[in-house]
Amino acid sequence: MPMLPTGLQRHPQSGTYYLRRRIPTDILVCYPGKKEITFSLRTKDYRTAVARHRAEEARLTSEWEEKRQRQAERYARTQLAAITHIDALTPEAIDAICLHAESASLAGDEARRENGHYTLDEIEEYQTGYTEANRILKGAVAIGDYELLRGPLEQFLRLYRYQLKATEPEMRRLALAYGRMAIRTNEKLLSRYDGKEVPTPVMAQRLETPMLSEVTQSYLAYYQKLDKVAMLRKVTAVMPLLVDIIGDKPIGLLKQTDLEAYFEAVQTLPPRWKDICRQEKLRPLELAKQQRGEMSKGTFDGTYLAVMTPFIKYCRRKWQDHGWPMTLTTEGVQYLGSRRDPEGGQRAFESSELKRLFEGPEMARFARRPAMAHKYWLPHLGLFTGARVNELCQLNPQVDITQDAQTGTWYMDITDESEGDARIDKSVKTGGSKRKLPIHPKLIELGFLDYVAAAKKRGDTLLFQAFPTAAGRASPKAMKWFTEFLQEIGLRDETPNARIVGMHAFRSTFLHRAMVLGVVSAETITGHASNITSIETIQNGQVNQEASAVVKKYRGELPVDKKLEILSRITFPEVEFIRADKP
């Protein structure tokens, strides 16, 4: 009787051959309650038993190797964080996935080696296998054989619970990158099998961090709680643009180069870029790449850079424990375009221009026809209030135009808190913009209260009901009409920083006239935060300095009758205004 191979045993009574093997210590946990595996080979013939023993040994060795590999992978997963989803398969995300796969493979190999579970026979077998695998992988990567590469990639993604939102071209790019990684990893394993030291890469846990879109939404929610209405509009515009240009990626993958790319792209957006994107169905980044124009320095500094600086500070404070890169900064970011000089400001109307506008045949026609009354009163209110166009257009005549109970002074309540038209969302630029705006005596003389009474009687909920609303605001169509009207009557002026292109020119006109007439505190009428007319009051021979914000808070709003005293001094006697017909 020849010597039995290891693990092959013959029952002394029945003569049947059995396979009996002790379970290796490193995988005992995979066989609860057992220390060895024993089963019948169902033969009493020696040669048949040897053949069956060889086949079962190979199967058992393969089973044990698979269990070891699974243990190594579980070990690697305790060291390397798996993610559940990736919404944007950016180049950085592809690199991170490949680094994860490389780290997992090398970490598993390292664990086996440290526990002494390799044999020389296995090493030789793996050397042959990985050499052949690299030959096949190199050919697949060279010709772009996606079908061959997809199998191992999808197996890895399932094993580590990745869920990707990716297009077919993006998956192809990932598969090619995964193939190159596999070649690189196999070569490192072969070097280890030759006894060389090859470290396991550190898998930075960056993909586990929150997505940029989640952080920007958090910032928007935070900013909505602050009393900064004007800045909130800028934040609301900038945050989605940031995600669009950088891409919705885990914040742990963000780099300073991402911010630099964002600021460079923003500066190449032309004026009215939102309208262009909407009309041509373009993403902002696509429009920026077309180099159709550039943003002005004032817009860049006052909106895009002004929003990003506090956003970065917020993220450092709020999200640093969740992976926000603390090195990101806006320090040193500068405007790189050519539109450096202020060019968008609107100047005051000259007296001759005011006469053309308010004494012309067009205004006379508006005054005579009740159906055109909204076109008559919009520019008149702009001139005699200096108010922002949306402040005027969103006024609800049912509740926002009334008399002061104590003094009988008629005023307009500029606020976002009163009831408004159902089609719009009322807003004010800043908290300080909320104010009671007295009605100028000249407006009353021209018949404005008759116009308001008629609007109330009709049940109008907008002061200029005939101008359609748009995008949840009352003013866009009114603004568009007046801009075109200036062009029609030959008053439009495109001179940089001295333009006459819209309703905002009335704001400049009102404040300029106040300065010329020496009217103090005109900003209480216009809703500006400071004494922009640069006129101080003099009492007892002393110049009164402008009050601080704290002092202003305690003082409260100037009474509406006192405002009327200021407003009444701002006049335009050179113009012979046409009185509107009674509705």
Side-chain angles (χ1 to χ4, degrees):
M1 174 77 61
M3 183 179 296
L4 295 178
T6 302
L8 180 61
Q9 295 186 355
R10 182 173 179 274
H11 196 279
Q13 296 177 348
S14 66
T16 301
Y17 286 94
Y18 284 78
L19 184 146
R20 182 180 180 183
R21 288 293 303 273
R22 178 176 293 276
I23 300 173
T25 304
D26 62 312
I27 55 174
L28 275 173
V29 294
C30 301
Y31 299 91
K34 292 185 177 181
K35 291 186 177 181
E36 63 181 26
I37 292 178
T38 303
F39 56 84
S40 173
L41 295 175
R42 300 178 183 178
T43 183
K44 297 180 180 179
D45 179 71
Y46 172 75
R47 293 183 180 276
T48 303
V50 170
R52 291 181 180 177
H53 172 266
R54 186 181 298 113
E56 290 297 334
E57 272 282 313
R59 182 192 62 78
L60 197 56
T61 300
S62 177
E63 177 182 313
W64 288 348
E65 178 55 33
E66 181 180 349
K67 292 185 182 299
R68 287 192 178 102
Q69 186 62 31
R70 288 187 180 277
Q71 280 188 293
E73 289 167 351
R74 281 195 294 271
Y75 169 81
R77 284 199 295 274
T78 64
Q79 309 301 315
L80 308 168
I83 69 167
T84 57
H85 71 277
I86 293 180
D87 292 329
L89 200 55
T90 61
E92 293 86 357
I94 290 175
D95 289 344
I97 290 171
C98 291
L99 176 61
H100 186 178
E102 179 180 350
S103 299
S105 179
L106 294 175
D109 169 78
E110 192 171 301
R112 276 195 71 183
R113 182 170 289 100
E114 289 176 352
N115 292 326
H117 296 149
Y118 272 127
T119 66
L120 290 175
D121 289 340
E122 288 173 335
I123 292 298
E124 292 178 359
E125 181 181 344
Y126 289 151
Q127 285 176 320
T128 301
Y130 287 137
T131 300
E132 176 62 17
N134 266 7
R135 184 187 67 81
I136 297 173
L137 284 170
K138 288 178 180 178
V141 170
I143 65 173
D145 190 344
Y146 174 59
E147 293 303 320
L148 189 148
L149 298 171
R150 185 173 64 177
L153 169 62
E154 291 180 345
Q155 182 182 33
F156 171 79
L157 295 175
R158 283 194 303 270
L159 178 63
Y160 286 90
R161 302 188 299 279
Y162 278 90
Q163 294 179 3
L164 307 184
K165 291 182 180 179
T167 63
E168 186 71 11
E170 289 173 336
M171 286 301 296
R172 287 182 176 274
R173 286 195 291 272
L174 175 58
L176 286 172
Y178 188 87
R180 296 186 187 98
M181 176 281 305
I183 294 170
R184 183 173 63 251
T185 302
N186 288 346
E187 289 173 347
K188 290 183 178 181
L189 289 170
L190 288 170
S191 295
R192 283 184 176 181
Y193 297 152
D194 286 337
K196 298 177 183 178
E197 181 180 0
V198 179
T200 298
V202 176
M203 174 58 182
Q205 303 191 14
R206 297 177 296 172
L207 284 176
E208 196 180 35
T209 58
M211 303 298 289
L212 179 60
S213 58
E214 178 184 345
V215 174
T216 56
Q217 288 298 318
S218 172
Y219 186 62
L220 275 170
Y222 159 77
Y223 217 91
Q224 288 169 355
K225 299 176 183 177
L226 305 179
D227 187 19
K228 298 181 178 180
V229 180
M231 200 63 181
L232 175 60
R233 285 197 288 269
K234 296 181 179 181
V235 171
T236 303
V238 170
M239 290 295 102
L241 182 63
L242 176 67
V243 175
D244 182 272
I245 291 180
I246 290 182
D248 192 13
K249 63 177 68 175
I251 60 174
L253 296 178
L254 292 174
K255 301 177 181 178
Q256 184 64 30
T257 53
D258 291 320
L259 287 187
E260 299 294 335
Y262 166 74
F263 285 122
E264 289 177 9
V266 162
Q267 293 184 46
T268 59
L269 290 174
R272 305 188 68 82
W273 63 267
K274 292 182 182 177
D275 292 338
I276 298 173
C277 288
R278 183 177 62 256
Q279 294 165 3
E280 301 183 19
K281 296 181 171 57
L282 292 173
R283 289 178 52 203
L285 183 58
E286 295 172 332
L287 178 60
K289 290 179 178 178
Q290 293 179 9
Q291 301 286 323
R292 294 197 201 179
E294 61 181 359
M295 185 175 292
S296 70
K297 185 179 188 302
T299 300
F300 176 75
D301 290 344
T303 296
Y304 297 90
L305 184 56
V307 167
M308 286 300 296
T309 299
F311 171 67
I312 296 295
K313 292 181 179 178
Y314 164 85
C315 291
R316 287 177 179 174
R317 174 175 58 84
K318 177 75 174 179
W319 294 93
Q320 61 175 304
D321 293 340
H322 301 275
W324 181 267
M326 297 298 287
T327 56
L328 297 184
T329 180
T330 58
E331 185 177 353
V333 174
Q334 296 183 3
Y335 177 73
L336 302 175
S338 60
R339 296 175 59 191
R340 295 180 175 275
D341 296 328
E343 57 189 46
Q346 295 196 54
R347 62 172 173 82
F349 283 100
E350 296 178 0
S351 293
S352 60
E353 294 169 327
L354 289 176
K355 290 176 68 65
R356 171 65 185 92
L357 175 58
F358 289 102
E359 295 179 5
E362 300 85 3
M363 195 63 68
R365 185 171 69 254
F366 299 156
R368 301 285 84 84
R369 298 181 183 180
M372 293 185 173
H374 57 296
K375 296 181 179 179
Y376 173 91
W377 286 113
L378 177 65
H380 280 82
L381 261 70
L383 178 64
F384 282 103
T385 65
R388 301 173 180 90
V389 61
N390 195 60
E391 292 177 341
L392 297 172
C393 289
Q394 71 182 4
L395 286 170
N396 180 353
Q398 305 300 327
V399 296
D400 292 334
I401 302 178
T402 186
Q403 279 182 292
D404 180 63
Q406 293 182 347
T407 65
T409 303
W410 281 95
Y411 69 90
M412 295 174 280
D413 192 6
I414 307 297
T415 180
D416 58 352
E417 297 176 358
S418 63
E419 181 181 356
D421 185 272
R423 296 166 294 175
I424 68 167
D425 294 320
K426 297 182 75 174
S427 64
V428 291
K429 185 173 183 180
T430 66
S433 298
K434 297 179 183 180
R435 63 197 186 280
K436 292 179 179 179
L437 174 55
I439 298 175
H440 197 287
K442 192 64 177 181
L443 292 174
I444 295 177
E445 178 188 326
L446 294 173
F448 180 62
L449 293 182
D450 294 332
Y451 173 79
V452 172
K456 287 185 176 182
K457 186 175 180 179
R458 289 192 302 267
D460 292 354
T461 51
L462 290 174
L463 182 58
F464 307 117
Q465 194 85 8
F467 284 121
T469 61
R473 290 170 65 82
S475 59
K477 297 297 183 180
M479 294 170 60
K480 184 174 185 293
W481 167 77
F482 188 69
T483 297
E484 294 173 349
F485 181 59
L486 288 174
Q487 182 74 35
E488 291 173 9
I489 63 176
L491 293 183
R492 186 178 177 93
D493 184 354
E494 294 285 359
T495 303
N497 204 38
R499 303 187 305 160
I500 295 287
V501 295
M503 286 289 296
H504 206 77
F506 286 127
R507 200 161 167 81
S508 299
T509 303
F510 181 91
L511 292 167
H512 181 264
R513 183 58 59 100
M515 180 182 68
V516 170
L517 295 176
V519 179
V520 177
S521 300
E523 67 276 359
T524 64
I525 308 299
T526 59
H528 283 94
S530 61
N531 183 358
I532 53 90
T533 54
S534 299
I535 301 174
E536 294 87 0
T537 58
I538 302 179
Q539 294 183 354
N540 300 324
Q542 299 296 321
V543 176
N544 288 344
Q545 300 297 325
E546 185 180 337
S548 68
V550 174
V551 172
K552 289 179 180 178
K553 179 179 178 182
Y554 282 109
R555 285 178 177 175
E557 185 178 359
L558 191 68
V560 69
D561 60 322
K562 298 302 180 183
K563 289 184 182 179
L564 181 58
E565 293 178 10
I566 297 171
L567 181 60
S568 298
R569 295 181 58 198
I570 302 174
T571 59
F572 301 88
E574 71 272 26
V575 180
E576 295 183 11
F577 293 96
I578 304 169
R579 194 185 194 283
D581 285 359
K582 191 172 182 178

